[in-house]
């Protein structure tokens, strides 16, 4: 991995959440069913331990955000991580996963890292 980091100027990776009655990406203006603000934000830890999270310089690009649709069907939310510091990827941990709804299901698809 160190060799790839040394030879690369930038890198990107995608992560897709497949969800059924589950909302993975907490936003500041979202509310729970009890009316309290959601404090849970999805955070991604990179190879060099830096955190990718909403409202930071390392915010992932949200390509698709359908997991907020709660209609009993499968949906997906996709994130793209692009950085000009290649040592930040791959993503090695996903933190502060919100709990799923009753009968909710989820599946995470981690894409390969492309070093450029």
């Amino acid at each position: 991995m160190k060799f790839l980091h040394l030879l690369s100027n930038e890198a990107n990776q995608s992560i897709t959440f497949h969800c059924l009655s589950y909302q993975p990406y907490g936003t500041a203006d979202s509310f729970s069913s009890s009316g309290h603000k959601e404090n849970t934000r999805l955070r991604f830890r990179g190879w060099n331990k830096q955190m990718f999270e909403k409202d930071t310089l390392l915010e992932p690009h949200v390509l698709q955000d359908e997991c907020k649709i709660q209609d009993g069907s499968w949906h997906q939310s996709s994130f793209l991580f692009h950085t000009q510091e290649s040592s930040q990827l791959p993503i090695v941990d996903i933190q502060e996963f919100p709990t799923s709804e009753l009968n909710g299901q989820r599946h995470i698809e981690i894409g390969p890292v492309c070093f450029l």
Side-chain angles (χ1 to χ4, degrees):
M1 188 62 68
K2 201 174 223 180
F3 185 69
L4 288 170
H5 289 152
L6 288 172
L7 292 178
S8 304
N9 293 325
E10 56 188 282
N12 60 51
Q13 182 178 20
S14 65
I15 294 180
T16 302
F17 290 93
H18 300 272
C19 46
L20 176 67
S21 299
Y22 176 77
Q23 184 173 351
Y25 200 48
T27 60
D29 57 359
S30 66
F31 289 86
S32 65
S33 58
S34 62
H36 295 87
K37 274 198 168 190
E38 291 284 338
N39 293 324
T40 306
R41 288 208 177 170
L42 195 54
R43 299 179 338 150
F44 304 87
R45 185 165 48 97
W47 181 263
N48 64 356
K49 300 190 182 353
Q50 287 189 290
M51 299 302 292
F52 289 82
E53 60 186 311
K54 188 169 176 61
D55 299 328
T56 67
L57 291 175
L58 294 175
E59 181 174 356
H61 301 284
V62 180
L63 302 176
Q64 184 176 15
D65 187 14
E66 294 179 350
C67 282
K68 59 187 170 189
I69 301 170
Q70 305 283 316
D71 63 359
S73 297
W74 281 93
H75 297 283
Q76 62 186 25
S77 292
S78 299
F79 303 90
L80 176 66
F81 301 86
H82 179 82
T83 179
Q84 293 189 356
E85 188 178 327
S86 63
S87 65
Q88 292 174 331
L89 293 177
I91 298 298
V92 296
D93 190 23
I94 301 172
Q95 299 179 351
E96 298 190 24
F97 235 52
T99 57
S100 63
E101 300 290 325
L102 188 65
N103 299 326
Q105 298 179 31
R106 60 185 171 210
H107 170 74
I108 301 172
E109 182 181 334
I110 310 273
V113 179
C114 179
F115 292 100
L116 307 168

